[in-house]
């Protein structure tokens, strides 16, 4: 088949009807000789001569069986000689390997071009293939048009044009590999900065989960933490650094470390966030973070929390009713100069609370309130252990490995103690009136309670001594109530008074008549601490580890 005068007809163009005289001025570049005379004009060149000279791969296929009508030199160099007239499915196996045969059928049926981007060939080169419908002139017997140009029909065909994009494909692959390495580094850093094992307080059951964004999403700065404060109290933290990548993860790690340090001061939640706000501004003024810091005290049956622009805590009470914490009590961390406040939400025995980051409820195509309503509905029906609740909430909100944002979820339950389990969780309190009888009364009360709890004699005596020292330390400051509390793992003794001066351990000189009480407590107890109480005053506590059953 001779294509000396054949011209492909592309969609939206008209075949040229005028014919030029054949000048025979076809350059000799294909023969390896330098052209002589002036270079021919493009419009003077036959189409075949043009296609033979382009470095791209070109093939023309004719009819529904895709018989080979033409291949250029570049195509032959890439795949070897292809016999003209042979069907593509038998003589062009490369098209089947590349998945182009179905595409050829689509082009013939629709009359529209189709493109397949960056397909890598067995030799390692990458090409972008464009298949364009053309009209291939044929003679009456199905052969090629003769030299005199007479023809009786034209048959539908496809022009296959493959541009070499190896350099671009290799560059894109290197970029993707770099992004994968950076993401893996960020994920590794992120996971290493999160708690490897959550602390498990006596009164709460806690579980958490973290799901990084999918492979195409950069890792963010979501984090969570659980911090036991002593005296039976527990701090719960969740936050989200606005940003992506290693930098966000690094800022998150600094904030998480700072939260743990500030928590040891046993400050009210809003004061902890106030300190974090100043630190976030110093770390990176261009980045902000949202955070919730909450404290649970089993004696109060509630969460005291402060929210720096974070999403609201959700609580399902013992009756199955969902409660949403009020709006954030302050702006995000890093904004600087704003005052945060604390608020409360009930958390009675039998309740479940959920703290989470925005990746759980925020979607690009929906309002965030819709996500919050979905989460509330999912929490209302999510029963079981905290780990089970975490998994159910993630599934209910459609979070998978391909999710486009990081997600952190922290679930805590304040279980209702019944039966034999309730026997291990007891409280006893005594209001002291002050005066000289306060210390003996405190010792007698502590001795009676510890005896009823059937503690060993050595632990009984240490508990009575600790109660006596704590009461003696606070007698001069009003009428301190004393509370004894037992869990399955520890004995807690706590005394409060009306003075806000926090005691500290110091070395008493030989002639000092006071100053030894806290030193004695620190020596005999497993741990001790103090904090200021709302409305003024302080609380001093100590703990004794119970012997294993």
């Amino acid at each position: 088949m001779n294509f000396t005068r054949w011209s492909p007809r592309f969609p939206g163009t008209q075949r040229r009807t005028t014919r030029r005289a054949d000048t025979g001025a076809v350059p000799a570049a294909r023969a390896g000789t330098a052209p002589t005379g002036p270079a021919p004009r493009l419009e003077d060149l036959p189409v075949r001569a043009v296609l033979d000279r382009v470095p791209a791969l070109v093939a023309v296929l004719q009819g529904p069986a895709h018989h080979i009508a033409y291949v250029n030199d570049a195509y032959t160099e890439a795949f070897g000689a292809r016999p003209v007239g042979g069907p593509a499915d038998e003589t062009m196996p490369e098209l089947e390997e590349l998945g182009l045969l179905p595409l050829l059928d689509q082009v013939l049926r629709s009359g529209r071009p189709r493109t397949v981007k960056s397909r890598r060939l067995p030799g390692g080169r990458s090409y972008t293939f464009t298949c364009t419908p053309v009209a291939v002139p044929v003679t009456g017997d199905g052969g090629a048009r003769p030299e005199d140009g007479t023809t009786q029909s034209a048959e539908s065909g496809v022009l296959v044009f493959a541009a070499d994009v190896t350099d671009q494909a290799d560059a894109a692959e290197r970029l993707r590999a770099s992004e994968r390495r950076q993401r893996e580094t960020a994920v590794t850093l992120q996971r290493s900065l999160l708690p490897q094992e959550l602390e498990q307080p006596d009164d709460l059951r806690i579980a958490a989960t973290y799901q990084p964004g999918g492979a195409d999403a950069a890792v963010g700065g979501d984090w969570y933490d659980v911090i036991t404060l002593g005296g039976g109290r527990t701090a719960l933290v969740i936050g989200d650094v606005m940003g992506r990548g290693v930098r966000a993860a690094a800022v998150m790690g600094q904030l998480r470390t700072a939260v743990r340090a500030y928590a040891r001061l046993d400050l009210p939640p809003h004061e902890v966030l106030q300190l974090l706000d100043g630190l976030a501004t110093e770390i990176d003024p261009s980045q902000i973070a949202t955070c919730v810091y909450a404290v649970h005290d089993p004696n109060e049956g509630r969460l005291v929390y402060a929210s720096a622009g974070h999403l609201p805590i959700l609580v399902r009470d013992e009756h199955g009713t969902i409660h949403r914490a009020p709006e954030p009590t302050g702006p995000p961390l890093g904004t600087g100069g704003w005052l945060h406040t604390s608020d409360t939400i009930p958390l009675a025995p039998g309740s479940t609370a959920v703290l989470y980051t925005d990746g759980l409820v925020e979607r690009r195509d929906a309002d965030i309130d819709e996500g919050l309503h979905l989460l509330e509905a999912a929490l209302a029906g999510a029963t079981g252990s905290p780990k089970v609740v975490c998994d159910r909430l993630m599934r209910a909100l459609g979070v998978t490995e391909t999710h486009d944002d990081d997600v952190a979820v922290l679930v805590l339950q304040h279980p209702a103690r019944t039966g034999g389990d309730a026997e291990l969780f007891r409280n006893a309190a005594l209001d002291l009136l002050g005066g000289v009888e306060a210390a003996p009364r405190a010792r007698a009360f502590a001795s009676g309670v510890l005896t009823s709890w059937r503690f060993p004699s050595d632990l009984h005596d240490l508990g009575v001594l600790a109660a006596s020292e704590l009461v003696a330390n606070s007698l001069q400051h009003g009428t301190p109530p004393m509370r004894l509390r037992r869990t399955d793992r520890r004995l807690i003794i706590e005394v409060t008074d009306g003075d806000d001066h926090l005691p500290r351990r110091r070395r008493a000189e030989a002639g000092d008549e006071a100053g030894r009480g806290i030193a004695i407590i620190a020596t005999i107890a497993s741990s001790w601490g103090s904090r200021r109480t709302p409305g003024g005053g302080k609380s001093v506590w100590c703990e004794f580890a119970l012997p294993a059953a």
Side-chain angles (χ1 to χ4, degrees), residues 220-512:
D222 295 16
W223 93 91
Y224 56 83
D225 210 346
V226 178
I227 309 165
T228 53
L229 302 177
R233 303 165 72 249
T234 306
L236 306 135
V237 191
I238 197 161
D240 184 3
V241 176
M242 300 295 105
R244 291 288 185 269
V246 175
R247 180 59 183 169
V251 172
M252 175 274 287
Q254 295 178 75
L255 291 179
R256 176 177 174 256
T257 301
V259 169
R260 295 192 70 86
Y262 295 149
R264 300 305 178 190
L265 302 176
D266 215 341
L267 300 171
H270 65 275
E271 293 189 21
V272 172
L273 291 191
Q274 207 70 48
L275 292 171
L276 281 178
D277 181 47
L279 178 64
T281 304
E282 294 177 4
I283 293 174
D284 190 341
S286 66
Q287 284 189 304
I288 62 174
T290 64
C291 179
V292 167
Y293 181 89
V295 175
H296 174 257
D297 189 332
N299 298 305
E300 298 177 354
R302 60 178 181 167
L303 282 176
V304 181
Y305 72 92
S307 172
H310 203 80
L311 293 166
I313 300 172
L314 299 182
V315 175
R316 186 187 66 217
D317 64 22
E318 63 273 25
H319 305 296
T321 303
I322 302 297
H323 302 272
R324 184 188 296 190
E327 293 299 315
T329 59
L333 305 177
T335 55
W338 298 87
L339 293 177
H340 294 80
T341 59
S342 294
D343 206 338
T344 63
I345 186 171
L347 189 72
S351 300
T352 298
V354 178
L355 291 75
Y356 51 94
T357 56
D358 58 3
L360 183 64
V361 295
E362 191 173 35
R363 300 293 181 269
R364 299 181 187 276
D365 56 350
D367 189 85
I368 195 169
D369 283 336
E370 295 181 23
L372 288 173
H373 291 315
L374 287 175
L375 179 58
E376 290 177 347
L379 178 59
T383 58
S385 68
K387 178 59 178 175
V388 171
V389 173
C390 274
D391 294 341
R392 290 183 176 178
L393 295 181
M394 296 282 277
R395 288 197 302 270
L397 274 295
V399 178
T400 64
E401 292 183 355
T402 60
H403 194 60
D404 62 357
D405 195 5
D406 291 27
V407 177
V409 180
L410 180 65
V411 174
L412 58 139
Q413 294 177 342
H414 186 188
R417 309 288 182 178
T418 58
D421 194 28
E423 293 296 313
L424 298 176
F425 291 82
R426 299 179 179 179
N427 285 281
L430 173 68
D431 286 334
L432 300 175
L433 301 178
V436 294
E437 75 282 356
R441 187 180 175 199
R443 288 193 292 270
F445 174 75
S447 178
V449 170
L450 298 181
T451 299
S452 69
W453 288 350
R454 299 179 182 178
F455 284 168
S457 58
D458 56 342
L459 183 57
H460 171 280
D461 294 343
L462 291 176
V464 171
L465 175 59
S468 177
E469 292 295 337
L470 291 180
V471 169
N473 185 69
S474 63
L475 274 177
Q476 57 182 316
H477 305 300
T479 58
M482 181 177 68
R483 180 185 293 116
L484 281 71
R485 184 164 176 270
R486 174 190 179 181
T487 72
D488 60 343
R489 289 184 286 179
R490 71 196 80 233
L491 165 68
I492 303 170
I493 301 173
E494 186 176 32
V495 175
T496 61
D497 60 53
D499 182 64
D500 61 1
H501 175 72
L502 299 180
R504 60 185 178 88
R505 185 179 180 180
R506 61 184 180 87
R507 182 185 296 277
E509 300 297 335
D512 292 345

Side-chain angles (χ1 to χ4, degrees), residues 26 47 57 76 97 118 120 122 133 151 160 190-191 193 240 254 259 288 314 329 373 437 461 502 523:
V26 178
V47 172
L57 280 58
T76 301
E97 294 176 7
S118 189
R120 190 172 292 274
T151 183
V160 179
Q190 175 90 343
R191 290 194 181 279
L193 294 175
D240 184 3
Q254 295 178 75
V259 169
I288 62 174
L314 299 182
T329 59
H373 291 315
E437 75 282 356
D461 294 343
L502 299 180
T523 301

